[in-house]
Amino acid sequence: MRLGARWTLRTRLTLWYVAVLALLLLVYATLVFVFQYAVLTRQIFHDEVQDIITVEGLLYFDQRGTLQLRQDYYSRPQSHLLVDRYMEVRDLSGDVLYRSPTLNGMPLGGPNRKGEGDGTFNERIIRLDDGSHVFTISHIHGMGGRDLLIRLGYSLGPLRTRMEQFFLLLLFAVPVTLGIAWLAGQAIARRALRPLEKMTERATGITARNLHDRLVIENPNDELGQMAQVFNHLLQRLEESFRQLQRFTADAAHELRTPLASLRTIGEVALSKGNDPEVYKEALGDILEETSRLNETIDGLILLSRAEATAPRGSQEIFSANDLIDEVLNFLSVVMDERNVKAVQENTTNGVTMLQGDRGLLRIAFVNLIHNAVKFSPANSTIRISYSPISGDDPEMQIAIQDEGPGIAPGEHERIFERFFTSSAHATAMNSGAGLGLSIAKLVIERAGGTIYFDRNRPVGARCVVTLHAADDPAKSRAAQI
């Protein structure tokens, strides 16, 4: 198991926060240390330049020609720093003319360097014989007709001691700061993730018995609020699917139990009447009729299951609406001939009848709709199927199926799409089936992104209106491109 997998999100966030802060502190401390060292070094250089200028005014040759340093420089406030300086004066031939007592006889920088102190102040770091490091400034000064090379040095020991103390202070301050940052990060992360902990506790308690519960959204505009909204939408869809499954199971059980009970009753009655062949023949006929209804119900349930399993706008096949309706009418031609019903198509689309969707499922939907119209149409009547385009940003096609039957009873225009619903109206009760055909058609049409309804203003017969997404004719599009 990875180490990060065992740590909580709060710990990982705090660790990242402290790690980034540590990196920034190290970079900041390094820059401060380098900057401080450079500033102090420049300050030493500036002081030593001033000291050399002071020294140049204090040097003189006595009567014996020996170079001397005036001893009254202690009275000058600007010269007291000379006490802890190293100084050595040479002529250009390299002979030492003066060496301060602070050097204890040690040379300050060895032989003269080419161009050293010529016209400017040269700086360098040298190492004395006792191992100490000295920051020196060299400058050539003319006096008494002679050029003198003056070297003035400052021990780096105090500077390095001060920088070491500064470095130790940084080393102490960084871990203390990181420790405080860790505690603060834990507190901030705990506070920031508290809504997530509440949502986790709430979500843990949601089961199939309380799918109606939802997460509490404290702030819908932050990331946790948006996640909670998504989770609530997921729960809503699960709840709807669960209720749909429960209703489907209950309806299917009810619809299957009735014909099975009828089959059992028919068999028991036939057996109770003895060995009469006519009774058996009648019973077998009734059993076949009930079996047919049972098959119709099972086929409807399978189609419903297939339509529900199809993703909305899953298949986007482009096909001709006229060809689809012609195929459906040809499929139902035997039924229409038995009832002596004819179909008339009225196309007002100027030839534009292309649809986009799952052709197989839409065929099932129109078979159910037209077969439903045929069942309720009186003999020698006509079913009119009309097409009309609806223009707009997303063009649609409206297909209306109108019959001359008894129509739909008031208050049942929506209920007829419910599963296993059969009208109680006497005019339609005789032709009612399992009550799944219109449910399947509605489900398929809506999965294809369309709408379906029955016109409430029809005084005679029923008029079913289907609206689907239209599509351009691929053949015409290719021709236009050519």
Side-chain angles (χ1 to χ4, degrees):
M1 181 182 294
R2 293 183 294 108
L3 182 61
R6 298 197 300 268
W7 290 3
T8 62
L9 177 61
R10 184 177 64 199
T11 302
R12 279 181 284 167
L13 287 175
T14 305
L15 184 61
W16 276 107
Y17 163 68
V18 172
V20 172
L21 180 61
L23 180 62
L24 293 177
L25 284 178
L26 288 176
V27 173
Y28 176 76
T30 302
L31 293 177
V32 169
F33 185 85
V34 172
F35 178 76
Q36 183 70 11
Y37 185 82
V39 168
L40 293 177
T41 303
R42 287 296 92 191
Q43 183 63 41
I44 293 174
F45 174 79
H46 176 74
D47 292 344
E48 292 206 49
V49 169
Q50 296 299 319
D51 289 343
I52 283 185
I53 295 174
T54 301
V55 164
E56 290 173 352
L58 295 175
L59 290 173
Y60 69 97
F61 288 103
D62 59 14
Q63 295 179 350
R64 293 177 297 176
T66 303
L67 185 63
Q68 299 291 340
L69 181 66
R70 295 176 59 179
Q71 298 302 313
D72 58 346
Y73 62 87
Y74 290 105
S75 61
R76 303 187 180 194
Q78 69 273 21
S79 303
H80 68 279
L81 291 176
L82 294 176
V83 174
D84 57 353
R85 298 292 194 271
Y86 301 108
M87 188 173 69
E88 186 180 78
V89 181
R90 295 169 179 259
D91 58 17
L92 296 184
S93 62
D95 295 334
V96 178
L97 302 180
Y98 179 84
R99 180 172 288 160
S100 65
T102 52
L103 286 171
N104 296 321
M106 296 181 293
L108 184 62
N112 295 0
R113 300 164 64 90
K114 185 178 180 181
E116 180 179 359
D118 186 8
T120 182
F121 297 92
N122 295 133
E123 59 182 279
R124 60 174 173 150
I125 297 176
I126 62 175
R127 183 176 181 180
L128 299 180
D129 293 342
D130 62 358
S132 61
H133 291 82
V134 177
F135 183 84
T136 63
I137 297 293
S138 301
H139 186 247
I140 293 179
H141 174 65
M143 189 173 62
R146 301 173 61 181
D147 289 334
L148 305 178
L149 175 61
I150 302 174
R151 290 175 175 171
L152 189 67
Y154 176 81
S155 175
L156 291 177
L159 172 64
R160 293 186 173 180
T161 301
R162 185 180 302 177
M163 295 307 298
E164 288 175 1
Q165 294 173 348
F166 182 64
F167 181 71
L168 292 175
L169 179 62
L170 291 177
L171 286 181
F172 175 76
V174 168
V176 171
T177 303
L178 293 180
I180 296 174
W182 174 270
L183 296 176
Q186 284 279 312
I188 294 173
R190 183 184 299 109
R191 183 178 181 82
L193 296 177
R194 189 171 299 162
L196 183 61
E197 295 177 354
K198 293 180 179 178
M199 286 190 287
T200 303
E201 295 175 358
R202 182 90 173 188
T204 304
I206 297 177
T207 64
R209 297 179 179 275
N210 58 344
L211 275 176
H212 58 278
D213 285 351
R214 297 291 183 269
L215 299 183
V216 178
I217 302 175
E218 296 182 358
N219 183 2
N221 298 321
D222 62 10
E223 290 79 359
L224 294 179
Q226 293 173 1
M227 187 192 71
Q229 291 181 29
V230 172
F231 190 79
N232 283 342
H233 291 159
L234 174 62
L235 285 177
Q236 184 176 355
R237 293 195 296 272
L238 286 176
E239 183 184 8
E240 291 175 356
S241 298
F242 193 72
R243 286 181 178 176
Q244 191 176 35
L245 179 62
Q246 286 181 320
R247 185 172 64 250
F248 180 81
T249 304
D251 291 343
H254 174 75
E255 293 302 319
L256 292 178
R257 183 175 58 188
T258 301
L260 288 176
S262 178
L263 289 174
R264 181 182 180 87
T265 301
I266 293 172
E268 290 174 348
V269 171
L271 289 175
S272 65
K273 290 184 178 179
N275 299 324
D276 187 351
E278 291 298 327
V279 173
Y280 288 159
K281 185 177 180 181
E282 182 180 358
L284 287 174
D286 293 339
I287 289 173
L288 289 176
E289 185 177 352
E290 289 298 329
T291 303
S292 178
R293 292 179 182 177
L294 190 59
N295 284 334
E296 183 181 352
T297 301
I298 292 175
D299 290 341
L301 292 175
I302 292 174
L303 288 174
L304 270 176
S305 177
R306 178 188 169 191
E308 287 181 336
T310 303
R313 295 191 177 189
S315 176
Q316 294 298 306
E317 183 182 358
I318 298 177
F319 54 92
S320 168
N322 295 101
D323 292 344
L324 177 66
I325 298 300
D326 290 341
E327 183 179 329
V328 171
L329 292 176
N330 183 58
F331 176 73
L332 297 174
S333 59
V334 176
V335 180
M336 296 174 67
D337 291 341
E338 288 179 352
R339 300 186 64 84
N340 198 20
V341 174
K342 66 178 182 179
V344 175
Q345 298 188 57
E346 300 171 344
N347 193 343
T348 60
T349 62
N350 298 323
V352 181
T353 58
M354 304 305 292
L355 294 177
Q356 186 171 3
D358 190 324
R359 191 179 189 282
L361 287 178
L362 288 176
R363 180 182 180 278
I364 295 173
F366 282 106
V367 165
N368 287 341
L369 293 176
I370 297 177
H371 184 241
N372 191 69
V374 172
K375 283 195 304 182
F376 294 103
S377 293
N380 302 317
S381 63
T382 301
I383 297 175
R384 299 186 181 279
I385 303 173
S386 61
Y387 309 82
S388 57
I390 302 175
S391 60
D393 296 337
D394 192 7
E396 296 179 330
M397 176 72 64
Q398 188 180 83
I399 302 175
I401 303 170
Q402 179 180 338
D403 62 52
E404 299 176 1
I408 300 174
E412 294 183 352
H413 286 80
E414 293 294 336
R415 295 194 61 195
I416 57 176
F417 291 110
E418 296 178 3
R419 295 173 184 178
F420 303 112
F421 173 79
T422 53
S423 176
S424 58
H426 177 72
T428 59
M430 296 298 293
N431 295 317
S432 297
L436 289 173
L438 291 179
S439 301
I440 295 171
K442 180 178 177 62
L443 181 60
V444 169
I445 297 297
E446 291 180 346
R447 286 299 174 108
T451 60
I452 180 173
Y453 64 91
F454 276 91
D455 191 348
R456 297 174 184 268
N457 300 319
R458 297 299 305 174
V460 178
R463 183 171 182 267
C464 180
V465 180
V466 176
T467 303
L468 292 168
H469 293 281
D472 295 332
D473 191 341
K476 291 184 177 179
S477 299
R478 286 194 295 271
Q481 292 176 357
I482 295 174

